[in-house]
Amino acid sequence: MNTFDQNLISSSVIIHDLIEDYNVQSMDFVTRLPSWICQCLSDLNIQLHYVDAADELEFNEYRCEIPDGCKNIKTVIIDKHRAEFTTNPAPIVADNESYIPLAVSFPVGHLAIEHAVFDLSELHRDTKYLYSINGNYLNLNVCKGRLGLIYSKLPFILDSVLKINVPLIPNNDILKEAIKNFVMIRMLQRGYKHHTFNLKENNPYTNVAMMYDNNKIKVRNACNRLTKDKRDDCTRSLLNFFNLKNHYIN
């Protein structure tokens, strides 16, 4: 049950409004928009209900990019082994000098003409797979391969026009404007030149960073309101608390 007053809509409406209202001439940033919108929701501390998800991802150079909107990583599976979390995973390095074969043969018997084969493959099942989290990446102790990831994430939906998955957001005009400002900040930080907006002038009408900061508190208050049922529950809890308090005092 969602305890917040939230009518969720696709954040793609912000992308289209951004292009039209801000007269954006470049589409090079489109694939980064879902990640930027998620960053904005996190920065504004917008409380949303997350959904469970599972993905199979490729990794290389001992690291794997975390999917957009990921909130909580539950399980990492590498080569059918459940990886354990650590702060600094040491790489698993192949050492030819200490290589352990899958099976070895030893001479047995009085004349040592017979051989017994010992299977050592069981030793390889104790290998520990480790991972740590560094920003938007998983650091692993395996160089490359594929991993399974079970995690919680923001609810996403496919935009049929842009052909990308975008997060769902509360249908709030103040939040929409804040996300547009946040996205424009990221674009300007990456060298995009806009005819009106910038990050240098001390003007709240042209500096999108100032516009964004001015709306932060308004957005948090507008989007994190409880539903009527939840507010009634909180009121009853407070009344019961004060009634019990007065009962013990008297």
Side-chain angles (χ1 to χ4, degrees):
M1 176 181 176
N2 194 335
T3 59
F4 296 100
D5 271 329
Q6 294 174 344
N7 175 26
L8 299 181
I9 61 171
S10 171
S11 57
S12 62
V13 298
I14 298 176
I15 303 174
H16 300 296
D17 288 346
L18 176 77
I19 296 172
E20 182 177 351
D21 297 345
Y22 288 2
N23 193 22
V24 174
Q25 302 295 325
S26 173
M27 296 294 289
D28 295 340
F29 63 89
V30 169
T31 55
R32 299 182 180 181
L33 280 175
S35 178
W36 290 345
I37 294 173
C38 291
Q39 291 174 18
C40 181
L41 294 174
S42 177
D43 184 62
L44 293 172
N45 193 28
I46 302 300
Q47 303 296 320
L48 293 173
H49 281 271
Y50 290 82
V51 297
D52 293 329
D55 281 327
E56 186 177 359
L57 308 171
E58 292 187 359
F59 63 92
N60 199 1
E61 299 295 334
Y62 296 100
R63 72 175 191 170
C64 177
E65 186 173 7
I66 297 175
D68 290 334
C70 177
K71 177 64 176 178
N72 177 39
I73 295 176
K74 298 181 177 180
T75 306
V76 177
I77 302 172
I78 304 175
D79 193 22
K80 298 182 180 180
H81 291 74
R82 179 168 180 166
E84 297 181 7
F85 177 79
T86 184
T87 55
N88 187 21
I92 299 176
V93 180
D95 187 355
N96 293 329
E97 294 182 359
S98 59
Y99 171 73
I100 300 177
L102 293 180
V104 292
S105 177
F106 295 100
V108 294
H110 179 68
L111 300 177
I113 57 176
E114 297 181 357
H115 288 74
V117 177
F118 293 86
D119 185 7
L120 303 181
S121 60
E122 294 291 330
L123 296 178
H124 294 271
R125 296 184 181 178
D126 294 330
T127 302
K128 290 234 177 177
Y129 292 87
L130 305 173
Y131 75 95
S132 66
I133 301 174
N134 183 13
N136 293 328
Y137 288 89
L138 291 176
N139 288 340
L140 310 163
N141 64 339
V142 182
C143 181
K144 62 181 179 179
R146 297 183 68 86
L147 61 81
L149 188 66
I150 302 174
Y151 61 102
S152 298
K153 71 170 185 176
L154 289 170
F156 272 63
I157 191 171
L158 176 66
D159 182 271
S160 58
V161 177
L162 300 174
K163 305 300 182 184
I164 57 174
N165 289 312
V166 295
L168 296 176
I169 61 170
N171 186 12
N172 182 276
D173 291 336
I174 303 177
L175 173 62
K176 294 177 188 177
E177 196 64 29
I179 294 178
K180 285 164 61 177
N181 293 336
F182 187 92
V183 170
M184 180 56 66
I185 291 172
R186 288 289 186 262
M187 291 171 59
L188 294 173
Q189 288 173 339
R190 283 155 179 78
Y192 179 73
K193 302 297 181 182
H194 195 272
H195 55 85
T196 303
F197 299 118
N198 61 77
L199 300 175
K200 297 180 180 179
E201 296 180 9
N202 189 22
N203 185 339
Y205 297 100
T206 59
N207 189 326
V208 286
M210 295 181 65
M211 297 165 62
Y212 176 73
D213 288 337
N214 291 338
N215 282 330
K216 271 189 174 182
I217 297 179
K218 296 179 183 178
V219 172
R220 290 169 181 166
N221 291 337
C223 294
N224 293 336
R225 292 179 298 193
L226 296 175
T227 61
K228 181 181 182 301
D229 291 339
K230 195 63 178 179
R231 287 195 298 269
D232 291 343
D233 289 343
C234 292
T235 301
R236 283 194 294 269
S237 297
L238 286 173
L239 289 175
N240 291 335
F241 170 77
F242 287 122
N243 288 335
L244 288 172
K245 181 180 179 182
N246 292 333
H247 172 75
Y248 287 115
I249 291 176
N250 294 332

